[in-house]
């Protein structure tokens, strides 16, 4: 009987410890696409409902049509939100345009609260164009998940250098580049100095 109880306790402990590691990699859209490769795929039924438009990413054009203006560096505390326009206030978790909190897995995520978002990947902000951004799939909910280095089953969608593109209700783009995830530090870029909703 002692061996049965010991075995049951060890099994329960193992399941508890490994509960954060899942064999299917979830994506910022809550798992509708099995891997990051799905972001470049043609939309299917499960992703089409979340999309703002049905365009797929293409290569970045070699010319610039938008000058991105660096406007602010923000440090976002865990379980807090951030306004992406001046004065770039740190607010309650779900009161900002984005928030740094629990994602769709056991780790943290940069969640969108009020805008459409797309993951542009690791990019040089100065080379991004509106034409390129228009080819990305923008989503209305969820977020970009973080995972620690060496995670067996989760993908880190926001490594340092990743650019997240946000589209305001007025059609303007705001770019957010991840500078650090140990403490979340973001550089914010606007199309121009004035963003109006």
């Amino acid at each position: 009987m002692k061996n049965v109880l010991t075995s049951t306790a060890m099994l329960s402990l193992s399941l508890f410890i490994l509960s954060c590691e899942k064999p299917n990699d979830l994506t910022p859209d809550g798992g509708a696409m099995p891997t990051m490769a799905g972001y470049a795929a043609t939309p299917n039924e499960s992703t089409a409902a979340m999309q703002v438009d049905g365009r797929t990413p293409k290569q970045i054009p070699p010319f610039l049509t938008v000058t991105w203006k660096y406007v602010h560096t923000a440090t976002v505390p865990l379980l807090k939100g951030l306004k992406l326009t001046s004065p770039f206030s740190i607010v309650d978790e779900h009161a900002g345009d984005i928030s740094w909190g629990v994602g769709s897995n056991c780790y943290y995520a940069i969640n969108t609260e009020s805008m459409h978002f797309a993951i542009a990947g690791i990019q040089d902000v100065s080379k991004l164009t509106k034409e390129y951004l228009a080819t990305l799939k923008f989503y209305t909910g969820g977020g970009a998940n973080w995972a620690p280095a060496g995670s067996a089953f989760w993908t880190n969608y926001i490594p340092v250098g990743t650019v997240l593109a946000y589209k305001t209700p007025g059609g303007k783009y705001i770019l957010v580049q991840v500078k650090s995830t140990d403490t979340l530090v973001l550089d914010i870029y606007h199309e121009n100095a004035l963003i109006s909703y």
Side-chain angles (χ1 to χ4, degrees):
M1 182 68 174
K2 186 177 180 181
N3 287 340
V4 172
L5 291 174
T6 303
S7 296
T8 303
M10 291 303 290
L11 179 62
S12 297
L13 180 61
S14 297
L15 290 174
F16 176 75
I17 290 172
L18 299 175
S19 67
C20 285
E21 299 295 335
K22 295 184 181 179
N24 293 326
D25 190 15
L26 292 181
T27 58
D29 63 359
M33 296 180 290
T35 64
M36 191 65 173
Y39 282 102
T42 304
N44 59 33
E45 283 183 24
S46 61
T47 60
M50 296 176 65
Q51 289 181 278
V52 176
D53 55 35
R55 301 176 187 195
T56 55
K58 296 182 179 126
Q59 288 196 333
I60 300 172
F63 54 88
L64 295 174
T65 59
V66 173
T67 302
W68 298 104
K69 180 178 175 146
Y70 164 80
V71 292
H72 187 71
T73 296
T75 301
V76 184
L78 185 60
L79 301 178
K80 290 292 185 176
L82 173 68
K83 295 283 190 178
L84 292 177
T85 55
S86 186
F88 306 100
S89 306
I90 301 293
V91 296
D92 289 333
E93 184 175 7
H94 301 291
D97 296 318
I98 63 173
S99 65
W100 178 232
V102 178
S104 63
N105 59 30
C106 292
Y107 303 115
Y108 301 117
I110 300 174
N111 296 304
T112 185
E113 300 294 338
S114 66
M115 297 182 188
H116 303 298
F117 87 102
I119 300 174
I122 296 175
Q123 300 278 358
D124 178 353
V125 171
S126 67
K127 294 183 179 175
L128 291 176
T129 64
K130 282 180 74 170
E131 291 81 9
Y132 171 73
L133 295 176
T135 68
L136 298 175
K137 293 180 189 176
F138 281 80
Y139 297 92
T140 57
N145 289 322
W146 169 85
S151 178
F153 299 108
W154 295 96
T155 301
N156 182 4
Y157 288 102
I158 52 173
V160 171
T162 299
V163 175
L164 301 173
Y166 293 89
K167 190 185 293 185
T168 70
K172 299 275 187 183
Y173 291 105
I174 297 174
L175 301 182
V176 173
Q177 187 167 41
V178 177
K179 301 304 278 184
S180 169
T181 54
D182 293 329
T183 299
L184 185 64
V185 179
L186 307 170
D187 279 348
I188 302 169
Y189 298 84
H190 287 178
E191 280 185 56
N192 53 43
L194 300 174
I195 298 283
S196 61
Y197 288 78

